[in-house]
Amino acid sequence: MKKKIALVSGAAGAMRAACARRLHRDGFQLALMDRNAETLECVAQEIGGGTSHWTLDQTDETAVRKAVAEVEERVGPIHALVNTIGWTEGTRFVDETSDYWRKVVEINYMAALYITHAVLPGMIERQAGKIVYITSDAAKVGTGGEAVYAGAKAAEAAFAKSIARENARYNINVNCTAPGPTDSPLMREVKEQNPEMILRMTKLVPFRRLAQPEEQADVVSFLVSEDARWITGQVISTSGGLTMN
Ligand SMILES: NC(=O)c1ccc[n+]([C@@H]2O[C@H](COP(=O)([O-])OP(=O)(O)OC[C@H]3O[C@@H](n4cnc5c(N)ncnc54)[C@H](O)[C@@H]3O)[C@@H](O)[C@H]2O)c1
């Protein structure tokens, strides 16, 4: 039987690499995208199994459309989109510039729109698809030091709910995970800039530790599976109980 195809955007990140490995184990044929060519290449090689990859800046709409078209042409129809890119620095809003805000919104929100707009028409035509966005629990409860990031992730979650409503009639499920503090290079960067912030964050997690990237990937794996066919428009906290509503 032909394998289903999953596109994982931002696959060089810790969480995304874990998602890619997990989806490969689940039997997906993978297409990976990230702007970090070197790490992306390593992840694709490590996974093997004909995993293909595209190096691009996902805030470049034209590049995203071109790459998605190439995936569909060379690899095949995309059944699952896992949009995982994200970026922030641990800074206080009053100290930031509007250039920084624009960058945060481009990466954490606009990039999700670009890739979804490119992938969705094919899913609608085939009347099948799964979309998962990795947002953040910061979108639900806010995080000091990540104000604009939290706002952009909240926008991504609200967008996901809306396209879930628009596309359920085409048998397309759209959901989000909302990770809490997870061990990753992004987290290590924030820790360097603002160690107190990480300490504060882990204190709020009932398990009192950071999540491992694989624990995030397990939930993504479920959401793109047929077991989750009756779940859409949900933002599932994967944060060890950081938020509970
Ligand atoms: N790590 C955490 O504690 C945490 C908590 C909550 C939410 N999240 C979210 O989870 C997701 C995964 O985070 P992570 O910790 O694995 O991050 P990470 O820092 O390990 O990876 C970031 C990846 O995104 C890629 N990227 C950034 N901007 C890009 C762009 N414009 N175009 C293409 N690729 C780009 C980078 O090259 C890198 O590979 C992100 O959306 C993040 O916001 C992370």
Side-chain angles (χ1 to χ4, degrees):
M1 203 174 80
K2 208 169 166 349
K3 285 181 169 183
K4 284 181 176 168
I5 292 151
L7 170 59
V8 181
S9 73
M15 227 185 268
R16 308 28 132 33
C19 283
R21 284 188 205 104
R22 176 60 200 257
L23 296 186
H24 175 69
R25 277 210 331 264
D26 290 347
F28 280 97
Q29 182 70 48
L30 295 180
L32 310 179
M33 290 182 187
D34 200 285
R35 68 179 172 190
N36 182 337
E38 210 178 309
T39 320
L40 185 61
E41 170 99 44
C42 289
V43 173
Q45 269 188 12
E46 179 216 310
I47 292 172
T51 296
S52 44
H53 58 93
W54 276 259
T55 303
L56 55 84
D57 180 344
Q58 207 185 306
T59 64
D60 177 346
E61 185 183 355
T62 310
V64 171
R65 286 193 189 283
K66 185 168 173 277
V68 168
E70 284 174 11
V71 172
E72 298 237 299
E73 195 186 305
R74 292 188 210 159
V75 188
I78 298 164
H79 178 72
L81 165 66
V82 182
N83 182 71
T84 73
I85 81 162
W87 178 81
T88 187
E89 287 179 348
T91 50
R92 278 159 31 108
F93 179 69
V94 285
D95 302 326
E96 296 163 357
T97 64
S98 54
D99 281 346
Y100 170 73
W101 303 336
R102 269 187 282 276
K103 184 173 173 186
V104 172
V105 172
E106 273 288 325
I107 294 178
N108 294 287
Y109 183 51
M110 295 304 292
L113 308 192
Y114 300 145
I115 200 153
T116 306
H117 203 257
V119 168
L120 205 47
M123 289 183 172
I124 291 173
E125 198 185 315
R126 294 185 293 277
Q127 307 255 312
K130 309 277 179 193
I131 302 179
V132 178
Y133 302 97
I134 301 198
T135 66
S136 172
D137 244 7
K140 294 186 179 179
V141 291
T143 313
E146 293 183 341
V148 180
Y149 167 82
K153 289 291 194 183
E156 189 182 28
F159 164 71
K161 290 177 193 176
S162 307
I163 62 159
R165 288 188 189 279
E166 286 182 7
N167 294 287
R169 74 199 69 175
Y170 306 117
N171 196 30
I172 297 169
N173 301 67
V174 186
N175 291 291
C176 300
T177 65
T182 303
D183 195 13
S184 73
L186 176 70
M187 214 38 163
R188 275 166 236 150
E189 220 176 276
V190 174
K191 193 175 177 180
E192 265 172 35
Q193 288 160 2
N194 196 339
E196 264 179 34
M197 185 177 146
I198 304 290
L199 216 63
R200 241 185 10 247
M201 277 180 177
T202 32
K203 264 196 191 150
L204 294 172
V205 177
F207 289 110
R208 296 283 194 275
R209 67 169 174 85
L210 296 178
Q212 288 308 303
E214 292 71 22
E215 291 170 317
Q216 301 296 343
D218 290 344
V219 183
V220 172
S221 159
F222 168 65
L223 289 174
V224 300
S225 77
E226 282 313 301
D227 288 346
R229 64 192 171 279
W230 205 234
I231 299 177
T232 201
Q234 303 304 309
V235 182
I236 298 174
S237 285
T238 51
S239 59
L242 177 68
T243 62
M244 291 199 181
N245 55 2

